[in-house]
Amino acid sequence: MTTIKDIAEKAGVAKSTVSRYLNNGYISEEKRKKIDQIIAETGYRPNTFARSLKAQDTKLLGVIIPRLNSPSTNDVLKGIDTTARENGYQMLITNSDQSDERELENIEMLVKQKVAGMILFARKITPQLQAVLAEVPMPVLLLGQQLAGIHSIVHEDYQAGKTMAEYAVSAGHRRYLFVGVSENDYAVGVLRKKGFLDVLAQTPNVKVDFIETSFSRRETYQKALVFLKDQSATYIACATDNIAVAVLKAAHELGYQVPQDFSLNGFGGYDSTDYVYPTITTTQYPYVQLGIDAVLTIQKLTQGEEVPEVIELPNRLVVKQSTAKLDKQE
């Protein structure tokens, strides 16, 4: 089945240009004739998404978040809200509650609401999501994950993992436990871990074990009460700050002292890492800036401007009380 994306590629134009064509918006006569030709050759017929969208600047941005209880999401929303208002946009926020089905329903609803553009906090890229995004007639911006053909803003997660591991190795640690999440989440579940492990793979006499958990502090806490009893690592790396906070709580209840018994780190730079004892070493991500950049990028896309398909935002290591240098390497 021919899609808007296919038409855009064959015509050598942006998907947003095809959307304007389908909805009687302004495009150059040259591009209009080219799209006319491609549509005639392919027999393309607009789907229900395209038919529901009229050519107009609604000044309404659709935002799809994965869950309500995420500190990082809240910080990104701060940046989105402030920048959207400054540029005359209103936000329509929908929550998918970590459900793939609800995520697809939210996309359909935002299309029917005729939003000018859509910002999607992507948990994972499923085949169903990929197929639906190919048909969405307005610009879409993914945050946190990448998909070929769709614009996205991501964090340098691989570099974050690498930097954290280099710090841990320089502190003399050789026995590690990595507490991660499912690889369905490519950014957190794959890239952070890969960056960390690639450094360890180049370090002699290293032993590393893995535990998979979820983003839930409660679930991680319950698991940590079990796996900490048998752990021999001098360094525990957690894929997120929430996971690190849960592990720290379990460690306190089991009588461990951090960092005397083992060092501990998270990723994200959440405020919560400053309000526990010891404070937790982490990687600071620019979440508010991500929200600012998201609005400015989607605005350019709605105006037909060219922007890089993938924008990466840097992060920085923040060393706190939960990690320490070993007196001697083990």
Side-chain angles (χ1 to χ4, degrees), residues 71-309:
S72 59
T73 296
N74 292 340
D75 283 346
V76 178
L77 286 175
K78 291 176 185 177
I80 291 177
D81 179 59
T82 300
T83 311
R85 293 186 64 185
E86 289 174 350
N87 288 274
Y89 288 96
Q90 295 293 322
M91 285 195 302
L92 179 57
I93 302 175
T94 64
N95 171 39
S96 297
D97 199 27
Q98 303 202 82
S99 164
D100 295 344
E101 183 177 355
R102 282 187 61 177
E103 185 174 66
L104 298 178
E105 290 173 354
N106 287 335
I107 293 173
E108 182 175 3
M109 184 272 290
L110 292 176
V111 170
K112 291 179 179 178
Q113 292 293 320
K114 301 169 186 171
V115 296
M118 197 179 302
I119 299 173
L120 172 60
F121 290 65
R123 296 184 305 118
K124 57 183 178 180
I125 305 298
T126 64
Q128 294 82 1
L129 177 62
Q130 187 170 352
V132 167
L133 291 180
E135 285 297 299
V136 172
M138 67 277 293
V140 176
L141 179 66
L142 298 179
L143 301 186
Q145 307 285 353
Q146 295 183 43
L147 173 62
I150 303 293
H151 288 85
S152 63
I153 304 179
V154 299
H155 298 291
E156 293 182 346
D157 282 292
Y158 177 84
Q159 184 61 45
K162 183 178 178 182
T163 300
M164 188 67 75
E166 289 171 344
Y167 161 72
V169 168
S170 70
H173 295 277
R174 295 297 181 268
R175 289 185 291 161
Y176 294 88
L177 174 65
F178 193 97
V179 185
V181 298
S182 168
E183 293 190 353
N184 286 331
D185 187 315
Y186 187 71
V188 179
V190 176
L191 290 179
R192 288 182 193 177
K193 181 171 69 174
K194 179 171 172 47
F196 197 90
L197 296 183
D198 281 354
V199 171
L200 298 188
Q202 300 174 14
T203 306
N205 302 319
V206 163
K207 181 180 184 299
V208 56
D209 294 314
F210 306 93
I211 294 289
E212 183 174 311
T213 185
S214 72
F215 289 94
S216 166
R217 280 185 295 189
R218 178 176 297 179
E219 180 179 333
T220 300
Y221 162 71
Q222 294 293 340
K223 286 187 174 183
L225 288 174
V226 177
F227 68 69
L228 285 179
K229 293 179 181 179
D230 300 321
Q231 70 85 25
S232 60
T234 65
Y235 195 103
I236 298 180
C238 299
T240 74
D241 286 341
N242 275 344
I243 292 174
V245 168
V247 171
L248 181 63
K249 175 177 170 59
H252 286 326
E253 295 191 12
L254 292 173
Y256 289 108
Q257 290 186 304
V258 177
Q260 291 87 341
D261 292 315
F262 58 82
S263 289
L264 177 73
N265 81 254
F267 288 87
Y270 299 170
D271 287 344
S272 59
T273 60
D274 285 326
Y275 293 94
V276 294
Y277 183 80
T279 56
I280 298 175
T281 292
T282 185
T283 299
Q284 182 76 50
Y285 282 68
Y287 292 118
V288 174
Q289 186 63 47
L290 173 59
I292 294 171
D293 291 349
V295 174
L296 297 178
T297 300
I298 201 73
Q299 183 178 38
K300 290 180 180 178
L301 291 174
T302 62
Q303 296 171 349
E305 298 182 29
E306 294 291 330
V307 299
E309 185 169 296

